[in-house]
Amino acid sequence: MLSIACNILVHGTLLHQWGFSYCKPPKKEPRKNPELVKKWKKERLPNLLKTAKKEGRKVYYGDEASFFVTPKLQKCFLPQANPFPVEIWSKSFEHIFVCAAISSEGDFTYTTSKHPYKGDDIVSYLEQLLAAEPDPITLI
């Protein structure tokens, strides 16, 4: 094992001289299909909004998401031209799970969990949303 005592400010310089380069993980979610998202926004969303307006419904935009509780790796040094070695979208990190909806008027409701949402959890959240909103809604 190699051990060198030096000031923390020169680590990057030394690693670069030895053929390593500064790397950041990819920021885009690899499972998202931008073409399908664009098509949905152009074709399906306007029809949903038009129908909701015609029927006098309040529009809510809802989603289920998870957030890392543990810090994720932000940067590292790798031999030049090597891909980032850590699977950023790993399921091994601890998460907080959130189910939330926001209306076009700014009304916001959410619930959190320490485990992924399953069907019964989603139904429970939707019941909570419907109980809180007196008007008919369209959930997108």
Side-chain angles (χ1 to χ4, degrees):
M1 180 160 104
L2 176 65
S3 178
I4 299 174
C6 64
N7 186 308
I8 189 73
L9 299 175
V10 299
H11 285 163
T13 304
L14 288 174
L15 287 166
H16 185 71
Q17 288 174 357
W18 294 335
F20 289 79
S21 63
Y22 175 78
C23 300
K24 285 186 178 181
K27 291 186 179 186
K28 282 192 119 178
E29 214 304 0
R31 297 169 287 192
K32 189 184 257 185
N33 184 333
E35 291 304 317
L36 287 177
V37 171
K38 191 182 291 185
K39 181 178 178 185
W40 186 88
K41 283 181 179 180
K42 185 178 178 184
E43 296 174 11
R44 183 76 173 119
L45 181 59
N47 290 333
L48 290 171
L49 295 174
K50 189 185 300 182
T51 302
K53 185 175 182 178
K54 182 176 155 185
E55 295 176 357
R57 296 177 171 273
K58 187 183 242 183
V59 176
Y60 273 87
Y61 300 89
D63 199 5
E64 181 273 332
S66 62
F67 301 92
F68 291 114
V69 176
T70 52
K72 69 178 184 175
L73 184 61
Q74 295 293 323
K75 63 180 180 179
C76 69
F77 284 90
L78 296 170
Q80 292 177 352
N82 282 9
F84 200 77
V86 178
E87 176 57 51
I88 298 304
W89 305 103
S90 170
K91 296 183 185 209
S92 65
F93 294 111
E94 187 177 344
H95 292 77
I96 290 178
F97 298 88
V98 179
C99 198
I102 188 167
S103 75
S104 47
E105 288 86 22
D107 299 322
F108 181 70
T109 179
Y110 72 95
T111 184
T112 62
S113 173
K114 291 190 175 188
H115 65 275
Y117 284 92
K118 298 194 182 329
D120 290 341
D121 302 318
I122 298 293
V123 169
S124 175
Y125 171 70
L126 292 175
E127 288 171 346
Q128 173 189 331
L129 174 62
L130 289 171
E133 180 56 56
D135 299 327
I137 69 167
T138 294
L139 181 64
I140 298 175

